[in-house]
Amino acid sequence: MGKYQILGCPSLPNIPWEEKPTEEFKCAPIWRCTQNPIIGRNPVKGVARIFNSAVMPYKGEFIGVFRGEQPNGIPAIYLGRSSDAIRWTFDEEKIRFVDEDGNEFMPRYAYDPRLVKVEDTYYLIWCQDMYGAAIGMARTRDFETFVRLENPFLPFNRNAVLFPRKINGKYMLLSRPSDNGHTPFGDIFLSESPDLVYWGRHRHVMGTCDEWWENVKIGAGSAPIETSEGWLLFYHGVIQTCSGFVYSVGGAILDIDEPSRVKYRCSEYLLTPEEWYEERGFVPNVCFPCATLHDSDTGRIALYYGAADSYVACAFTTVDLIIDYIKEHSVTREADIEIGRR
Ligand code: BMA
């Protein structure tokens, strides 16, 4: 038994895994998969690039929802399957969404999907057009029928991530209000709903801060992992440079019952573009976390992130190593620790 526990999910003995390298870490204890990028260019007919995508254990293997850029430049969501969560095969057809009556109801574009299981249902949450960039949501139980739900928020909003269980009887959704372009601002907010239709009791969770790597905007990444220390959240933080934004991965731990309160927030990034597949691509210098696989028995975590808007990459850590690192490097401010209501 480790120092900290991953809670609320079954064990995952077939989680992809590589042992920690023997050399000392110069930065956070998170190491890249030696097979990166695990998804290269033109991964399936009609898709130029797959990145910013979410994966999930399913029926003893793995399934995922993938952001695929079509040759016309428009992103759509594709279904992928894998037996080891490293080598993926994809459907050639994008996911067909229907409305509650079973009629086809396709988003005009769809990007940055997250995938979260709450009770016996899988939810896809992504960014799409609703007369402006907004959050789309759909549910599936079998990865065959995908039923669109009401859009939770008005435009402009992106980077929505559902918690994997209800908290105090309510569904909880993180999101990042934005603008209609490459938003030069952005804090993470929390909203709750009794039914996934009506959302309210909005709270501020955490904002940009004076740490340079995340001083332009932040946004939730993977679905929060329930641990004995609180909700472990991997998120992205952005700095503006002479040649554009740089996206790094940050880490925070949110209060288990009141997740708008940040208990610990790592003042340093956990992962930043360093490898060729992160520094070079359609949009250089992007590490964009969207999912984790995690094993409650061993505390192993595999983090999936989009690299340079061109590839999918994976990195490993453990719940003990990453929580200790976040705690050791934690700086929280008033806007982090307060309940977030004004
Ligand atoms: C954001 C989103 C992400 C993308 C990132 C870097 O605004 O569009 O999909 O990875 O920019 O281009």
Side-chain angles (χ1 to χ4, degrees), residues 51-52 67 111-112 217 247 283 286 288 309:
F51 54 100
N52 300 5
R67 171 179 177 162
Y111 62 80
D112 298 354
K217 55 180 169 176
Y247 282 69
V283 180
V286 180
F288 196 90
D309 286 13

Side-chain angles (χ1 to χ4, degrees), residues 89-321:
T89 54
F90 304 99
D91 290 356
E92 275 180 32
E93 286 299 311
K94 49 194 171 194
I95 289 178
R96 292 276 147 203
F97 292 99
V98 296
D99 63 17
E100 306 262 2
D101 299 323
N103 300 316
E104 186 165 280
F105 186 31
M106 291 297 283
R108 294 182 169 201
Y109 60 76
Y111 62 80
D112 298 354
R114 306 326 198 265
L115 180 61
V116 185
K117 188 179 184 195
V118 187
E119 293 160 8
D120 60 351
T121 305
Y122 298 88
Y123 295 95
L124 283 72
I125 310 115
W126 68 91
C127 180
Q128 61 155 39
D129 175 56
M130 195 231 175
Y131 305 89
I135 308 300
M137 214 188 262
R139 66 172 147 78
T140 183
R141 294 220 166 87
D142 53 12
F143 290 95
E144 282 171 19
T145 306
F146 295 85
V147 181
R148 294 262 309 265
L149 306 175
E150 290 292 332
N151 299 326
F153 304 131
L154 299 170
F156 301 94
N157 202 319
R158 299 188 179 113
N159 293 303
V161 179
L162 201 57
F163 280 68
R165 70 164 169 82
K166 292 179 185 167
I167 300 173
N168 305 319
K170 302 285 178 7
Y171 293 98
M172 294 279 176
L173 190 66
L174 296 170
S175 74
R176 211 278 303 285
S178 59
D179 67 8
N180 60 351
H182 300 292
T183 316
F185 62 87
D187 291 1
I188 300 176
F189 288 81
L190 177 74
S191 308
E192 64 175 57
S193 171
D195 53 10
L196 292 169
V197 175
Y198 297 99
W199 293 90
R201 292 174 63 95
H202 310 290
R203 299 284 182 266
H204 181 268
V205 179
M206 52 198 272
T208 53
C209 63
D210 44 17
E211 307 299 349
W212 284 23
W213 68 271
E214 55 171 341
N215 67 1
V216 171
K217 55 180 169 176
I218 58 173
S222 48
I225 302 173
E226 186 170 6
T227 77
S228 48
E229 284 297 288
W231 294 101
L232 170 59
L233 176 69
F234 293 102
Y235 65 97
H236 65 255
V238 178
I239 184 176
Q240 170 80 276
T241 71
C242 293
S243 52
F245 290 149
V246 175
Y247 282 69
S248 304
V249 178
I253 298 170
L254 314 179
D255 184 271
I256 206 78
D257 298 317
E258 281 186 310
S260 65
R261 289 188 197 276
V262 180
K263 284 176 69 183
Y264 306 101
R265 175 173 179 176
C266 193
S267 56
E268 300 177 357
Y269 54 71
L270 303 178
L271 202 73
T272 200
E274 286 174 0
E275 297 291 336
W276 67 265
Y277 50 86
E278 298 161 349
E279 291 181 335
R280 202 173 78 212
F282 189 74
V283 180
N285 297 316
V286 180
C287 292
F288 196 90
C290 288
T292 61
L293 296 172
H294 39 275
D295 176 32
S296 50
D297 279 353
T298 56
R300 292 174 174 176
I301 297 172
L303 175 71
Y304 287 76
Y305 61 100
D309 286 13
S310 302
Y311 311 100
V312 173
C314 173
F316 304 108
T317 188
T318 69
V319 71
D320 285 356
L321 288 170

